[in-house]
C-alpha cells in the first residue's frame, strides 16, 4: 500500500517551531511520508538561514521555494507573493502530495495555498478562525480558510468562527494551540545554560522583546521608537530582542533596534533567531515579554510570564488577564511594563485557554483517516454544532 504523502510548508522560524512536533509525528508514522517545503525567511541570510535548523533537527527538506525580494515595501511583498505562487506550483507538481499542511496567516502561506487550490490538493489549515485587526494577516488567514478543506483550530470560539465562514462542522476540529505542545514536551534550558548560549548574563529584570510591523497602519513601524524610548526608563533591565519579520518595513524596525542595542551591548542583545528551545527557555525566565508577537498571548501565560502587547497588531485575539494591552506611546508602554513587573499569577488554569499540549497527535489521527477525494466544498449555511 502506498504511503499517504503529507507535505508541510514552513516559511519562518516561529512557524517551524509550532509545526515541529507534528512533523516529528508524521515522520515517525509508518503509514505516512513526510514532505517538507522550506521558503520565505528560512532561506534568507538576513534572517539567519534558519532552514539549517530544520536539517539539524533530523528532517529532509524536499523543496526550497525562494521568494523573498530584498525590498520590504508593499510592492516588494506583493512581488514576493507572486514569485512564491510560481515556485510552489512547480514544487507541488514534483512532490504530488495527498495533503498540504499550512499554518497561520503569512503571505508565504497564501502563495502555497493558491498553488495547491488550483492543483486540487487537499489543504489542512492550522490556526484558522482567529482575528488580528492590525495586520493584513487577518485577511490572509480567512482567505486560506476558504481555500482549505480541513481545519485545525485552537479554541471553540475559533471553531465557531470558521463554521460561520461556511465550512462544514464535520471538517473543523478544535485541537488546541501547537505552541503549547512545545512547553509540555520540551526540556527547557536552565538559566545557566541559557546565559552561556546567549552570551549575556540574565540579570533581572529580564525583558524579551519582539516587535513586528503593523501592516495595516499608515505607519507600519508605529510604536517602535516609542517602545525604545520607554525602555530607557528601565536602565537596569537585561533586554533580549529578536528581529522583526519580513513584512512591510520589518528591516526598518530591525535597523532601529540594532542601533539601540549598540548603545549598551552589555545589557542588550539582538538575535536574528533564537530557535524554539532558546526562545521558550528565555520566555520562562523573562520577567516580561514586550512587543506585539502572538507568543505573548499563546505561550507566555503557560510559562507564567506577563505580556505587554503594544498597539493593534494582535487586536481581536482572545487573551488571558496576564496580557497588558497599551497604545503605542511612551507613557502607556512605561506604565504597562511597571504593572506587568508587579503582576502575580494565580494558582489556577484561567490562563490555559489554548489546550493541553496534545495537539499533534490529534491532528495526526485526522490526517490519517480523512478521505482523499476530489474537493467539491459546499458553503455551509446550517446550525453551528
Amino acid at each position: 500500500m502506498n504511503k499517504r504523502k503529507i507535505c508541510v510548508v514552513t516559511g519562518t522560524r516561529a512557524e517551524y517551531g509550532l509545526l515541529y512536533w507534528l512533523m516529528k509525528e508524521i515522520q515517525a508514522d509508518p503509514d505516512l511520508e513526510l514532505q517538507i517545503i522550506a521558503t520565505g525567511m528560512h532561506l534568507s541570510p538576513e534572517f539567519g538561514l534558519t532552514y539549517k535548523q530544520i536539517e539539524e533537527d533530523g528532517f529532509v527538506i524536499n523543496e526550497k521555494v525562494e521568494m523573498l525580494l530584498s525590498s520590504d515595501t508593499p510592492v516588494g511583498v506583493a512581488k514576493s507573493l507572486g514569485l512564491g505562487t510560481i515556485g510552489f506550483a512547480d514544487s507541488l507538481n514534483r512532490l504530488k502530495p495527498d495533503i498540504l499542511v499550512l499554518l497561520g496567516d503569512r503571505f508565504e502561506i497564501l502563495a502555497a495555498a493558491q498553488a495547491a487550490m488550483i492543483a486540487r490538493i487537499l489543504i489542512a489549515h492550522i490556526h484558522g478562525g482567529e482575528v488580528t485587526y492590525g495586520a493584513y494577516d487577518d485577511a490572509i488567514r480567512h482567505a486560506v480558510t476558504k481555500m482549505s478543506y480541513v481545519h485545525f483550530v485552537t479554541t471553540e470560539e475559533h471553531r465557531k468562527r470558521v463554521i460561520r465562514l461556511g465550512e462544514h462542522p464535520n471538517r473543523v476540529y478544535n485541537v488546541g494551540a501547537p505552541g503549547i505542545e512545545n512547553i509540555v514536551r520540551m526540556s527547557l534550558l536552565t538559566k545557566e545554560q541559557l546565559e552561556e548560549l546567549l552570551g549575556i548574563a540574565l540579570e533581572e529584570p529580564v525583558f524579551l522583546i519582539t516587535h513586528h510591523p503593523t501592516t495595516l497602519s499608515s505607519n507600519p513601524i508605529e510604536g517602535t521608537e516609542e517602545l525604545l524610548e520607554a525602555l530607557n526608563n528601565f536602565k537596569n533591565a537585561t533586554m533580549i530582542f529578536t528581529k522583526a519579520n519580513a513584512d512591510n518595513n520589518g528591516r526598518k524596525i530591525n535597523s532601529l533596534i540594532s542601533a539601540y542595542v549598540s548603545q549598551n551591548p552589555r545589557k542588550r542583545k539582538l538575535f536574528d533567531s533564537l530557535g524554539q528551545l532558546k526562545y521558550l527557555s528565555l520566555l520562562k525566565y523573562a520577567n516580561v515579554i514586550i512587543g506585539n508577537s502572538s507568543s505573548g498571548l499563546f505561550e507566555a501565560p503557560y510559562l507564567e510570564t506577563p505580556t505587554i502587547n503594544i498597539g493593534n497588531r494582535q487586536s481581536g485575539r482572545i487573551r488571558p488577564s496576564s496580557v497588558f494591552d497599551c497604545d503605542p506611546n511612551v507613557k502607556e508602554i512605561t506604565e504597562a511594563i511597571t504593572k506587568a513587573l508587579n503582576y502575580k499569577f494565580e494558582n489556577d488554569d484561567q490562563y490555559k485557554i489554548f489546550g493541553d499540549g496534545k495537539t499533534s497527535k490529534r491532528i495526526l489521527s485526522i490526517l490519517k483517516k480523512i478521505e482523499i477525494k476530489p474537493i467539491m466544498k459546499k458553503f455551509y449555511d446550517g446550525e453551528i454544532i
Side-chain angles (χ1 to χ4, degrees), residues 142-162:
H142 302 322
V144 174
T145 289
K146 293 309 301 176
M147 288 187 270
S148 301
Y149 186 77
V150 60
H151 310 273
F152 301 115
V153 301
T154 60
T155 70
E156 190 60 26
E157 179 180 329
H158 298 148
R159 179 178 176 274
K160 292 176 180 178
R161 189 173 287 135
V162 169

Side-chain angles (χ1 to χ4, degrees), residues 58 60 62-63 87 90 92 140 179-180 191-192 208 280 292 371:
V60 174
N62 301 87
E63 295 275 338
D90 288 334
L92 293 173
I140 292 175
I180 309 310
K191 187 176 182 180
E192 292 73 23
L208 172 56
L280 288 177
N292 56 15
E371 185 179 358

Side-chain angles (χ1 to χ4, degrees), residues 19-215:
L19 289 165
Y20 173 85
W21 290 109
L22 176 60
M23 292 164 64
K24 283 293 184 184
E25 294 284 353
I26 297 171
Q27 184 184 55
D29 194 294
D31 298 325
L32 301 177
E33 176 187 334
L34 174 65
Q35 300 174 329
I36 299 173
I37 301 178
T39 188
M41 290 190 286
H42 281 310
L43 308 181
S44 170
E46 182 180 0
F47 294 99
L49 291 173
T50 47
Y51 79 87
K52 295 179 180 179
Q53 182 62 56
I54 300 173
E55 295 176 333
E56 290 171 6
D57 287 341
F59 295 112
V60 174
I61 297 174
N62 301 87
E63 295 275 338
K64 294 176 181 176
V65 174
E66 294 274 9
M67 59 181 288
L68 279 189
L69 300 179
S70 60
S71 166
D72 60 1
T73 65
V75 171
V77 172
K79 287 183 176 180
S80 293
L81 178 59
L83 290 173
T85 304
I86 294 169
F88 281 114
D90 288 334
S91 292
L92 293 173
N93 186 53
R94 284 189 289 267
L95 295 177
K96 293 180 170 55
D98 296 300
I99 301 174
L100 183 70
V101 175
L102 303 176
L103 184 147
D105 46 34
R106 289 189 49 76
F107 62 85
E108 299 95 336
I109 298 308
L110 179 59
Q114 291 177 150
M117 178 190 65
I118 297 300
R120 301 181 72 195
I121 296 169
L122 190 154
I123 301 172
H125 184 218
I126 304 171
H127 269 288
E130 298 172 17
V131 175
T132 50
Y133 295 124
Y136 52 49
D137 299 359
D138 193 57
I140 292 175
R141 185 185 312 106
H142 302 322
V144 174
T145 289
K146 293 309 301 176
M147 288 187 270
S148 301
Y149 186 77
V150 60
H151 310 273
F152 301 115
V153 301
T154 60
T155 70
E156 190 60 26
E157 179 180 329
H158 298 148
R159 179 178 176 274
K160 292 176 180 178
R161 189 173 287 135
V162 169
I163 295 169
R164 287 198 295 270
L165 285 169
E167 300 301 297
H168 197 285
N170 291 347
R171 295 184 280 103
V172 188
Y173 302 89
N174 178 6
V175 296
I180 309 310
E181 190 160 5
N182 287 318
I183 296 171
V184 173
R185 296 179 66 167
M186 275 187 171
S187 296
L188 299 182
L189 302 168
T190 66
K191 187 176 182 180
E192 292 73 23
Q193 290 171 324
L194 188 58
E195 288 177 327
E196 183 175 352
L197 288 171
L198 297 181
I200 188 171
L202 297 177
E203 300 169 350
E204 293 192 0
V206 177
F207 294 173
L208 172 56
I209 306 157
T210 302
H211 194 68
H212 296 299
T214 307
T215 51

Side-chain angles (χ1 to χ4, degrees), residues 207 209-211 221-235 239-242 252-263 268-270 290-291 310 328-331 333-334 337:
F207 294 173
I209 306 157
T210 302
H211 194 68
I221 70 167
E222 181 181 47
T224 307
E225 292 173 307
E226 292 85 351
L227 166 60
L228 298 178
E229 186 176 343
L231 291 175
N232 286 329
N233 294 316
F234 303 90
K235 296 188 182 299
M239 302 178 190
I240 308 297
F241 295 82
T242 61
K252 179 67 178 297
I253 290 177
N254 292 334
S255 177
L256 291 170
I257 292 173
S258 181
Y260 182 78
V261 167
S262 68
Q263 297 170 12
R268 305 169 187 168
K269 205 154 188 179
L270 171 63
I290 306 170
I310 301 171
N329 66 67
V330 176
K331 182 176 182 293
I333 296 171
T334 302
I337 294 174

